[in-house]
Amino acid sequence: MTQPRQPIDKILEALQERAKELNCLYQVDEQINRPDAPPDDVFRGILEVIPTGYQYPGVCRARLVVDDLVYQGPGFQETAWVQRAEIVVQGIVLGRVEVYYTQAMPRSDEGPFLREERKLIEAIAERIGHHLAQRRLRGAIQGRQAVEGGAGAAPERDWWVIVDFLRHTDRQLLIRLARKMLNHLCLNGVDEAHQLLQRFAPQRESEVQGPQDDNRPVQKKTPEDLLALTDETFRIAARHLQVEDILSRMEGWIKGDKSSFLLEALERPATTLTDVAEAIQRFRFVGVNERDLTRSMQIALRAGLVRRFFSDEQGFVNTAKNYVEVSDFYDLTPRIICPASGHGKLGGKSAGLIVAAKIVQQAREYAELLADLRVPRTWYITSDGVLDFVQYNHLEDVYDRKYLELDQIRREYPHIVQVFKNSHFSPEIAKGLSQCLGDLAGGPIIVRSSSLLEDRMGAAFSGKYKSLFLANLGTPQERLAALQDAIAEVYASIFAPDPIEYRAERGLLDQHEEMGIMIQQVVGTRVGDYFLPAFSGVAFSRNEFRWSARIRRDDGLLRLVPGLGTRAVDRLGDDYPVLVAPGQPGLRVNVSPDEVLRYSPTMVDAINLCTRSFETAPLRQLLRSHGNEYPQITDIVSVVQDDAIREPLHLDFAGDDLVVTFDGLVSRTPFILQMRTLLKLLQDRLGVPVDLEFAHDGRHLYLLQCRAQSSAAETAPALIPADLPRERVLFTANRYVSNGRVPDLTHIVYVDPAAYGRLEDLAALKEVARIVGKLNKRLPRRRFILMGPGRWGSRGDIKLGVAVTYSEINNTAILVEVARKEGHYVPDVSFGTHFFQDLVEASIRYLPLYPDEPENVLNEGFLLESPNLLPQLLPEHADLAGTVRVIDVPRASGGLVLRVLMNGEEDRAAAVLVAP
Amino acid sequence: MAKPFNPHEMAQAQFDHVAGILNLDQPTRDLLRWPLREYQFAIPVRMDDGSARVFRGFRVQHNDARGPSKGGIRFHPQETADTVRALAMWMSWKCAVVDIPLGGGKGGVVCDPHNLSMREQEQICRGWVRQIARDVGPFRDVPAPDVMTSGQHMVWMLDEFETIYGGRYPGFITGKPVNMGGSLGRAEATGFGVVYTVREALKELGMALAETTASVQGFGNVAQYAAKLYAQLGGTVVAVSCWDQADQISYAFRKQDGVNVDALLGITDRFGGIDKKKARDLGYEVLPGDAWLEQDVDILMPNAIEHQITADNVGRIGKGVRLIAEGANGPTTPEADAVIQQRGIFLVPDFLANAGGVTCSYFEQVQSNANFFWEKDDVLDKLDRKMTSAYQAVSCLAQQQKLYMRDAAYVIAVSRVAQACRDRRWV
């Protein structure tokens, strides 16, 4: 039942009241939890605190009645305007809490009282009830001890006291405990217990067999019988078990019983997330330490929580339940925004981050190294938030849009975005968003998607949904409006052409996409007019882009950039991140000064606090004016002087020629060691290679995201079928293979290594490079494979490889170097290092071939005998048709295309001719 | 029987052609066709992971009759011996043509720096020196940076040499950073050198530099300084061209009344790429890259890369072009060369025109040996004199012997080396 829409001001006002109520409740708790205070003091304290939670504290008076004792302030008077709640302990009314207004106040939900105040007074009554129950129990034990001769005199009697106490106050609980005790005794093989068990529930021999007996009802026992049985049970227990054992088990079962409401809430599908959150808060105040519960109970609770809040993907639940604790949800649930009757989840991205943070926290052996690691403060909207949004604004028609033709979707998508941005959020969500902004005030925030489909299908989907940065400045209304606008836009991106196309291809179009939202503080500091982190980046625990044979896959890979990490996550057209392998930080991609200069980042992404927008700015300029404010800058840049690059001792921001190298960070800080440790830790614990996003503000390292790496289509290992027909295989490889899959290649450009080596003059050798360049422009982009001798782009010795520049090969899908044995030795291949980072940014794959190894295949017949298109395409270069061969694959193979499958896990690759 | 391309054989063929013009006797030919000394050695290195690995190092000293050998050290995965011999020979001629008292050499280590940490590269540098220390030095053989080596490597090698010999010998190696014994003026040297030869050539052609116009290909180190000096001396640069990294093609930037080099430098990135949009804003016409060649100017200066004036475009050279000065290496193909000769355009060959760099390298060695470092003006002044006299000698010979400038340069170089060998009574 939705409320009529309230303008923002009223919402804000309502929130202030809520804050007061919560505060009041906390203060009541504080009073109750004073360990040594006598009851009178506690109750009087509570009396003083109660009015603060009410709308009109000045005219508010409270009264407590407990066990026929009345507590009230001086000058107290009853009036007609009262709100009451009974204090109940185990079903018995022991007293009541009353709140009076001394004069008439404006009408509200319940007389002059708010609906929320009803909840408050009931919560207070419940607290007091718990408190009383505890006191009684303690009293009973102490009383018993006094009779027996002092505390600790006869501990074995303590549990009898408890049994006694429960017989008078909570028989059902006692019976449950007895039953558990009996089961425990039976499981330990105590014969007497078996016999007793039969009397609890008569066991027929035939029950062991057929199902036909199951429907006969069991004889019901009368209460007296059951109580007698319980006494029997405990007497047997006293005879067979140690006192400590009995005590600890009973403690565990009582606590478990106390907590059972939480487990029930989790396991009952009908409970809404809000109810579960309330159950969690109750659990917190019930005073049970989850570590005291039985192991199975703990795991059941954790698994239930994970399944409810994060994801029900079985693998994830299995892992996460080992790390996440119930207590983690105390602080988490207040920061989850969900629709009133919601069943949504947070989504894998959010969940991944939370679990990763727990793993790090619990890794004692790295405590010192990773002590500094933080997670930015985050709020969450559950995955059904988008469903709620669509429903609330009657946007259901938008679901039909996904069935349209892609072109139409593309055209109409901007309209969808506009409609979404002009729609509104339901009051619950809006309220939650305001609270969120209150908590995240003081700095920019980012709105990210955390979709459930991403989790299931892996992050081939990643980057298809939007992330938006917000400056989070201005009046509260402006900030809220900007936040709602951003979330609406992220929701709209579900209906963008790319994700729809992706889902259509996989038959997932019919499912409603559920998308969770993360609202996260942006890590960074202010530099000039901008807000940005000192540096950030992406870390992979498996390196699929290795530039040297000495780097192994497990050495990992970091992509580092100054400023916001968007420049490390996305492929940039015109700028490069700095690449480092944490396992081998000494082996850099770029070694010579001109390589370092060419492939270093020059732009930063940041939030402009003046224009309140996300911007890309030239770093050099920023440093010129505000270099002194930029944190850790000496670890990030180096100085260029006379073609030499040096780590600076001192920086002249105005005059020096600076280049971003991260040399200082690598060699003089523990950062690389931290990242290496973090990657290994997470990979080990999660059991899969991981991909992390991180940021550093100059003081602390922050983890922003953690997810499984191999789910990205690009770096997923390709499945190579076992029995490939020999005539269809173009080549195989078994060394230095990275994961990847290059489908549907229609052309092959093959520079025959033998013919190249036989060319007679320099001019011809150079001509080959020009030919490759021309073919690069003519052939269909990313549909051809380039194969040639040795080292593409060789600069020193033209005989070692075709001397192309990057622009002459930039349209190929995959670059292959063929290393033939010469005498005893096999030449070094280049790994594409002459333009390595260009290849990475353009996603051009690389593969070396060693055809002379016995297990490998290179179908030279196909390559040399298929019709050569070169004379047709470039008649002016027909004289080199013997060296450069251009093959139209479908024509030469009768309609097939070439597919290159690469599996780095097995270190195997194969290029096969297949049907398109 | 056709043989595959062999760089050394190509260099020898070039030499044979010149030896024929000079009518050298066989012993002299035998001496100069092959290097005087070749060294190959093993360099054992402790890698970062503690394992040992052995690298192969080498040094070829082609000829040192005129003075200590000079030549770069390269790190390259497979250097073929023939390439190194060819390069060493070429260094002998290069030093001789500009008349500096140095011979030719080349060397390096077979390795790929992309596979090595900086620490391992340092070990390799020091190891190289340790193996060959007896045969190099400020008075024997002076290395310099080359492919995949830089000033940092030079400093490590110097440090090792000095440790072995127990003293300070900055003259052992060139290409050092300025604060470690490098020479001032290195940035300007090659570009200025080109313009000195232009200036002298114009004198011969009877043209006043201040009344001429030029078009420059490239806007990297050589082109920038060439354009600067040329404009300083009064000339008008009408167009420059450069490679646009984003668009992956080259553009020419023209201003008929003269480009403002400093203004252009302000909008150029560190790789010599001019910002197209800002250039337009400053009033420059943005034309296709090849347009630099077609300008109606007196002088063309190809200062970018090789293979730029070819049979395809030589016909489009502006009608008024009187002079081409090759700041780059090999910008003109042999076919284009023939056409240029036919048209009577005067050409200053790369060999001579871009010798400013190696001359400055020599100056670094001189200053280092004296342990006294000159001001930049002094360096550039001496450079001027050296380039001028070198040019004049080549030009003189060309006129006397009716040789094409390219041939004349080679002839003078080879003859100087041969003469030194004779003076010593080696042959």
Side-chain angles (χ1 to χ4, degrees):
Chain A
M1 188 69 202
T2 53
Q3 291 172 346
R5 197 175 158 272
Q6 294 169 300
I8 286 188
D9 287 335
K10 274 203 180 167
I11 293 179
L12 290 171
E13 224 178 72
L15 285 172
Q16 281 173 318
E17 272 310 309
R18 194 86 179 103
K20 274 169 65 182
E21 287 145 19
L22 284 171
N23 202 29
C24 173
L25 205 53
Y26 291 146
Q27 291 197 51
V28 166
D29 282 330
E30 276 194 6
Q31 288 297 320
I32 288 180
N33 291 328
R34 285 157 60 196
D36 303 314
D40 284 3
D41 272 359
V42 171
F43 293 137
R44 267 183 238 290
I46 292 177
L47 278 187
E48 283 181 19
V49 158
I50 288 180
T52 64
Y54 277 74
Q55 237 189 341
Y56 310 106
V59 295
C60 180
R61 300 281 181 273
R63 180 161 76 174
L64 278 180
V65 179
V66 179
D67 278 340
D68 297 327
L69 286 173
V70 178
Y71 299 88
Q72 60 194 46
F76 176 82
Q77 274 182 321
E78 280 194 17
T79 65
W81 309 287
V82 61
Q83 200 180 40
R84 278 194 195 90
E86 289 181 333
I87 300 173
V88 175
V89 178
Q90 273 132 1
I92 305 170
V93 177
L94 290 182
R96 59 183 184 280
V97 182
E98 294 173 338
V99 174
Y100 292 84
Y101 277 141
T102 54
Q103 57 189 97
M105 301 309 287
R107 279 190 68 78
S108 191
D109 301 312
E110 195 187 302
F113 298 104
L114 294 170
R115 191 184 306 125
E116 283 79 9
E117 284 161 354
R118 159 61 49 195
K119 289 190 187 168
L120 175 62
I121 199 176
E122 284 180 357
I124 294 175
E126 193 178 338
R127 299 278 198 281
I128 298 177
H130 281 305
H131 175 68
L132 289 176
Q134 271 189 322
R135 273 188 186 268
R136 287 178 131 213
L137 183 58
R138 215 174 295 145
I141 291 180
Q142 281 169 350
R144 193 74 197 210
Q145 281 172 345
V147 168
E148 299 286 321
E156 60 262 27
R157 282 334 210 170
D158 286 350
W159 61 268
W160 264 122
V161 172
I162 297 174
V163 173
D164 241 347
F165 179 72
L166 287 174
R167 192 180 293 125
H168 293 114
T169 55
D170 193 344
R171 285 194 183 167
Q172 292 305 316
L173 176 57
L174 182 61
I175 291 170
R176 288 200 290 275
L177 285 177
R179 183 57 206 268
K180 286 198 152 116
M181 178 61 80
L182 199 57
N183 291 339
H184 176 66
L185 290 167
C186 288
L187 290 170
N188 278 357
V190 176
D191 284 333
E192 299 176 70
H194 277 297
Q195 293 165 11
L196 199 57
L197 191 58
Q198 289 185 12
R199 285 157 59 194
F200 247 104
Q203 190 165 357
R204 284 164 239 265
E205 268 122 58
S206 48
E207 256 178 37
V208 187
Q209 297 130 3
Q212 58 270 31
D213 293 340
D214 281 2
N215 291 329
R216 235 180 297 190
V218 174
Q219 234 178 324
K220 211 170 174 194
K221 290 287 179 192
T222 61
E224 282 70 36
D225 296 334
L226 283 171
L227 274 181
L229 286 174
T230 34
D231 281 350
E232 249 317 290
T233 310
F234 285 109
R235 264 181 240 122
I236 297 175
R239 282 203 287 277
H240 288 273
L241 297 176
Q242 298 280 14
V243 169
E244 289 80 20
D245 195 14
I246 298 180
L247 265 177
S248 68
R249 280 190 190 279
M250 285 187 66
E251 200 183 314
W253 291 326
I254 290 175
K255 289 188 172 164
D257 198 83
K258 257 190 181 175
S259 331
S260 63
F261 69 88
L262 180 55
L263 196 55
E264 263 175 66
L266 288 171
E267 292 184 349
R268 234 185 307 133
T271 25
T272 67
L273 218 57
T274 322
D275 291 337
V276 173
E278 278 189 14
I280 291 173
Q281 292 302 329
R282 257 186 77 197
F283 182 88
R284 180 183 197 176
F285 291 109
V286 144
V288 177
N289 186 340
E290 68 184 282
R291 306 251 167 101
D292 293 337
L293 297 172
T294 60
R295 193 176 149 75
S296 58
M297 183 75 164
Q298 281 183 49
I299 294 192
L301 280 176
R302 293 180 187 179
L305 286 167
V306 169
R307 205 175 283 119
R308 246 339 170 91
F309 281 94
F310 294 158
S311 162
D312 49 17
E313 200 261 301
Q314 196 51 43
F316 180 81
V317 175
N318 277 339
T319 312
K321 70 177 195 267
N322 296 321
Y323 298 103
V324 174
E325 295 171 307
V326 179
S327 49
D328 294 324
F329 287 85
Y330 297 161
D331 287 326
L332 182 60
T333 42
R335 290 202 243 116
I336 299 178
I337 303 167
C338 56
S341 52
H343 286 82
K345 304 191 199 300
L346 296 188
K349 205 184 273 186
S350 309
L353 181 58
I354 295 169
V355 174
K358 287 298 300 187
I359 291 175
V360 173
Q361 194 187 69
Q362 291 177 4
R364 293 259 154 269
E365 64 271 38
Y366 301 121
E368 208 186 293
L369 185 63
L370 297 176
D372 232 18
L373 188 69
R374 311 238 158 137
V375 172
R377 198 174 304 173
T378 313
W379 280 64
Y380 309 87
I381 304 180
T382 51
S383 55
D384 51 353
V386 63
L387 301 179
D388 181 76
F389 182 81
V390 166
Q391 225 179 358
Y392 188 72
N393 293 287
H394 304 295
L395 289 169
E396 288 86 349
D397 282 348
V398 82
Y399 291 132
D400 283 334
R401 302 254 139 200
K402 54 189 177 180
Y403 296 110
L404 297 175
E405 287 293 319
L406 220 57
D407 281 332
Q408 205 175 349
I409 296 176
R410 216 175 286 278
R411 268 199 312 273
E412 295 182 357
Y413 175 59
H415 298 307
I416 293 184
V417 175
Q418 280 314 306
V419 168
F420 270 58
K421 284 165 90 128
N422 287 326
S423 300
H424 306 110
F425 286 85
S426 64
E428 279 88 19
I429 307 282
K431 219 190 232 185
L433 292 177
S434 300
Q435 282 176 314
C436 158
L437 283 180
D439 191 35
L440 297 181
I445 55 181
I446 177 175
V447 176
R448 294 171 171 256
S449 68
S450 177
S451 106
L452 297 191
L453 206 57
E454 256 180 337
D455 307 342
R456 266 199 287 282
M457 302 317 301
F461 223 35
S462 74
K464 302 238 195 282
Y465 292 145
K466 283 194 164 185
S467 288
L468 293 170
F469 285 92
L470 298 170
N472 200 21
L473 293 170
T475 64
Q477 285 87 339
E478 285 172 335
R479 291 163 56 210
L480 184 59
L483 179 60
Q484 290 181 325
D485 195 72
I487 297 173
E489 204 176 317
V490 175
Y491 281 158
S493 68
I494 294 177
F495 303 98
D498 277 351
I500 290 184
E501 187 178 3
Y502 182 88
R503 284 161 63 198
E505 283 171 7
R506 285 157 186 77
L508 295 168
L509 207 52
D510 295 332
Q511 279 167 270
H512 279 334
E513 162 70 302
E514 289 196 22
M515 179 199 272
I517 298 278
M518 281 167 88
I519 305 167
Q520 200 175 57
Q521 265 182 333
V522 175
V523 172
T525 54
R526 186 171 181 144
V527 177
D529 288 336
Y530 293 101
F531 187 92
L532 77 176
F535 65 90
S536 43
V538 193
F540 301 94
S541 60
R542 286 274 180 86
N543 186 342
E544 297 297 339
F545 299 99
R546 302 185 288 283
W547 54 85
S548 160
R550 291 177 75 191
I551 297 181
R552 293 164 329 213
R553 301 179 76 227
D554 286 331
D555 285 330
L557 178 67
L558 298 177
R559 289 167 62 93
L560 294 169
V561 291
L564 290 170
T566 36
R567 293 186 88 70
V569 172
D570 301 330
R571 293 278 193 271
L572 305 167
D574 54 351
D575 208 9
Y576 306 90
V578 170
L579 301 182
V580 180
Q584 291 265 28
L587 296 179
R588 302 293 287 267
V589 182
N590 303 309
V591 278
S592 70
D594 51 71
E595 285 173 346
V596 172
L597 289 171
R598 174 164 295 288
Y599 293 119
S600 83
T602 54
M603 308 290 279
V604 285
D605 279 353
I607 298 173
N608 186 325
L609 295 171
C610 293
T611 62
R612 297 191 194 165
S613 58
F614 177 86
E615 254 181 46
T616 305
L619 179 63
R620 191 66 192 84
Q621 246 172 285
L622 180 62
L623 291 179
R624 205 164 274 136
S625 46
H626 297 279
N628 289 314
E629 296 162 36
Y630 199 107
Q632 265 193 292
I633 189 67
T634 45
D635 289 336
I636 297 174
V637 297
S638 300
V639 177
V640 185
Q641 231 170 30
D642 306 327
D643 303 328
I645 298 181
R646 291 196 177 101
E647 275 180 68
L649 280 171
H650 148 80
L651 285 172
D652 172 8
F653 292 110
D656 280 341
D657 190 3
L658 302 174
V659 63
V660 174
T661 56
F662 289 105
D663 282 345
L665 187 71
V666 171
S667 52
R668 292 182 209 287
T669 72
F671 175 73
I672 295 289
L673 182 59
Q674 285 173 322
M675 290 310 295
R676 190 161 75 225
T677 309
L678 189 59
L679 285 168
K680 185 162 193 322
L681 174 67
L682 290 172
Q683 179 174 293
D684 283 347
R685 298 279 199 270
L686 294 173
V688 286
V690 292
D691 130 19
L692 310 175
E693 282 182 38
F694 58 89
H696 201 296
D697 64 359
R699 282 198 314 267
H700 301 289
L701 179 61
Y702 288 81
L703 187 62
L704 305 178
Q705 194 167 295
C706 171
R707 60 175 186 204
Q709 181 181 345
S710 60
S711 39
E714 220 176 53
T715 53
L719 192 57
I720 301 178
D723 316 299
L724 291 167
R726 262 198 96 81
E727 65 278 10
R728 293 281 190 95
V729 175
L730 183 63
F731 61 75
T732 60
N734 62 358
R735 275 214 267 169
Y736 311 123
V737 179
S738 293
N739 283 340
R741 188 173 179 278
V742 189
D744 298 356
L745 297 167
T746 54
H747 289 81
I748 301 174
V749 175
Y750 181 63
V751 177
D752 179 10
Y756 186 78
R758 285 193 300 266
L759 286 176
E760 291 161 30
D761 59 69
L762 192 56
L765 291 166
K766 292 181 181 179
E767 200 184 332
V768 172
R770 305 290 89 72
I771 294 174
V772 171
K774 288 186 186 177
L775 290 171
N776 182 59
K777 286 198 165 48
R778 297 272 182 88
L779 293 174
R781 194 162 187 271
R782 297 277 183 268
R783 301 295 235 172
F784 65 95
I785 175 174
L786 199 49
M787 299 173 66
R791 306 171 63 87
W792 282 103
S794 171
R795 281 187 284 156
D797 191 329
I798 197 174
K799 296 208 64 164
L800 294 180
V802 185
V804 288
T805 60
Y806 175 65
S807 60
E808 289 168 318
I809 58 150
N810 63 354
N811 288 324
T812 183
I814 173 170
L815 196 63
V816 174
E817 292 183 330
V818 183
R820 294 228 90 125
K821 244 186 197 160
E822 287 172 29
H824 290 300
Y825 92 117
V826 181
D828 279 339
V829 290
S830 77
F831 285 83
T833 41
H834 293 291
F835 16 67
F836 186 82
Q837 288 201 239
D838 283 316
L839 298 179
V840 169
E841 297 306 309
S843 299
I844 295 174
R845 311 319 305 272
Y846 169 84
L847 184 66
L849 294 185
Y850 297 89
D852 296 318
E853 308 242 325
E855 321 82 63
N856 284 335
V857 165
L858 176 63
N859 191 342
E860 285 184 287
F862 183 84
L863 291 168
L864 296 175
E865 289 158 26
S866 298
N868 185 352
L869 264 66
L870 183 68
Q872 215 180 303
L873 288 173
L874 301 173
E876 66 274 26
H877 294 292
D879 52 323
L880 281 172
T883 309
V884 183
R885 311 190 65 86
V886 184
I887 301 170
D888 179 324
V889 179
R891 263 209 267 164
S893 65
L896 304 174
V897 291
L898 187 66
R899 188 169 298 166
V900 183
L901 304 164
M902 302 189 283
N903 190 320
E905 329 267 335
E906 299 171 19
D907 224 3
R908 289 203 311 138
V912 275
L913 295 165
V914 294
Chain B
M1 169 69 188
K3 283 192 306 178
F5 169 66
N6 181 325
H8 189 221
E9 287 178 12
M10 182 179 87
Q12 288 175 321
Q14 273 176 344
F15 167 76
D16 290 338
H17 169 69
V18 176
I21 297 175
L22 283 171
N23 216 352
L24 291 181
D25 60 16
Q26 195 57 44
T28 312
R29 289 186 194 228
D30 289 341
L31 183 65
L32 296 180
R33 288 186 98 239
W34 289 93
L36 272 182
R37 289 167 227 107
E38 292 181 359
Y39 302 93
Q40 272 199 54
F41 42 92
I43 306 173
V45 168
R46 274 284 153 202
M47 308 298 274
D48 287 344
D49 62 3
S51 64
R53 220 180 113 176
V54 178
F55 295 87
R56 294 222 61 82
F58 50 91
R59 185 70 177 170
V60 169
Q61 294 164 347
H62 172 256
N63 188 289
D64 55 6
R66 288 173 45 82
S69 322
K70 183 99 188 55
I73 295 181
R74 47 176 55 185
F75 283 171
H76 204 271
Q78 272 143 255
E79 211 45 83
T80 63
D82 287 324
T83 308
V84 183
R85 285 179 191 129
L87 292 168
M89 185 189 278
W90 195 75
M91 275 309 285
S92 291
W93 312 145
K94 185 85 170 179
C95 293
V97 80
V98 77
D99 201 12
I100 52 181
L102 294 170
K106 202 72 160 184
V109 181
V110 178
C111 70
D112 185 351
H114 293 108
N115 282 337
L116 301 166
S117 69
M118 287 311 274
R119 209 201 127 269
E120 289 161 349
Q121 290 180 46
E122 182 182 345
Q123 296 305 304
I124 289 176
C125 288
R126 291 178 184 274
W128 188 93
V129 172
R130 278 200 288 275
Q131 294 300 326
I132 197 69
R134 279 167 297 218
D135 298 293
V136 295
F139 310 113
R140 292 193 194 90
D141 187 349
V142 181
D146 198 72
V147 171
M148 299 307 284
T149 57
S150 66
Q152 173 68 87
H153 299 95
M154 301 301 108
V155 171
W156 285 328
M157 288 185 170
L158 176 64
D159 190 66
E160 193 67 16
F161 185 89
E162 291 175 341
T163 305
I164 293 170
Y165 282 95
R168 289 291 170 254
Y169 303 92
F172 160 55
I173 206 164
T174 63
K176 309 186 289 292
V178 169
N179 68 322
M180 288 297 293
S183 173
L184 292 170
R186 198 170 68 192
E188 294 90 333
T190 314
F192 278 23
V194 175
V195 174
Y196 294 139
T197 62
V198 164
R199 183 192 62 201
E200 295 307 306
L202 287 173
K203 281 183 192 161
E204 281 183 20
L205 294 173
M207 296 164 73
L209 194 150
E211 290 163 19
T212 58
T213 54
S215 178
V216 175
Q217 188 193 34
F219 208 58
N221 172 262
V222 176
Q224 285 175 14
Y225 284 106
K228 226 185 198 172
L229 182 59
Y230 176 76
Q232 236 176 291
L233 294 176
T236 309
V237 179
V238 164
V240 299
S241 82
C242 71
W243 178 257
D244 189 305
Q245 188 65 17
D247 297 350
Q248 293 279 312
I249 55 168
S250 51
Y251 292 110
F253 297 86
R254 177 170 74 185
K255 218 185 219 190
Q256 290 291 8
D257 54 347
V259 314
N260 180 333
V261 178
D262 285 323
L264 276 182
L265 285 174
I267 58 171
T268 306
D269 67 28
R270 66 165 95 247
F271 309 109
I274 301 175
D275 184 320
K276 198 163 83 226
K277 187 183 168 305
K278 290 189 183 151
R280 264 203 204 98
D281 293 340
L282 288 175
Y284 288 84
E285 298 170 68
V286 180
L287 308 165
D290 253 7
W292 79 278
L293 190 63
E294 303 160 353
Q295 298 308 306
D296 186 16
V297 291
D298 306 303
I299 305 166
L300 290 181
M301 285 194 252
N303 288 340
I305 49 174
E306 56 179 13
H307 219 84
Q308 295 300 296
I309 307 181
T310 64
D312 290 336
N313 60 16
V314 67
R316 289 189 267 127
I317 293 181
K319 293 286 165 264
V321 170
R322 302 279 310 275
L323 169 64
I324 297 179
E326 296 181 330
N329 279 325
T332 315
T333 65
E335 300 85 30
D337 217 14
V339 174
I340 290 169
Q341 277 193 57
Q342 251 180 1
R343 270 184 59 172
I345 299 176
F346 193 78
L347 181 120
V348 183
D350 50 4
F351 202 37
L352 175 62
N354 65 23
V358 73
T359 309
C360 193
S361 208
Y362 161 63
F363 288 159
E364 178 181 340
Q365 193 212 359
V366 169
Q367 295 168 76
S368 296
N369 282 336
N371 207 23
F372 174 72
F373 291 86
W374 311 330
E375 299 301 321
K376 190 196 281 200
D377 289 339
D378 288 332
V379 174
L380 295 173
D381 189 53
K382 289 182 173 40
L383 178 70
D384 188 347
R385 287 169 204 276
K386 212 60 180 125
M387 294 297 293
T388 303
S389 50
Y391 173 88
Q392 282 167 355
V394 172
S395 175
C396 200
L397 184 72
Q399 283 165 20
Q400 281 173 6
Q401 308 259 352
K402 307 276 187 289
L403 291 169
Y404 188 45
M405 282 289 281
R406 211 187 283 286
D407 290 332
Y410 266 99
V411 166
I412 217 173
V414 172
S415 70
R416 282 181 180 149
V417 177
Q419 189 64 56
C421 295
R422 292 226 176 125
D423 289 341
R424 289 175 184 276
R425 295 297 280 174
W426 290 353
V427 286

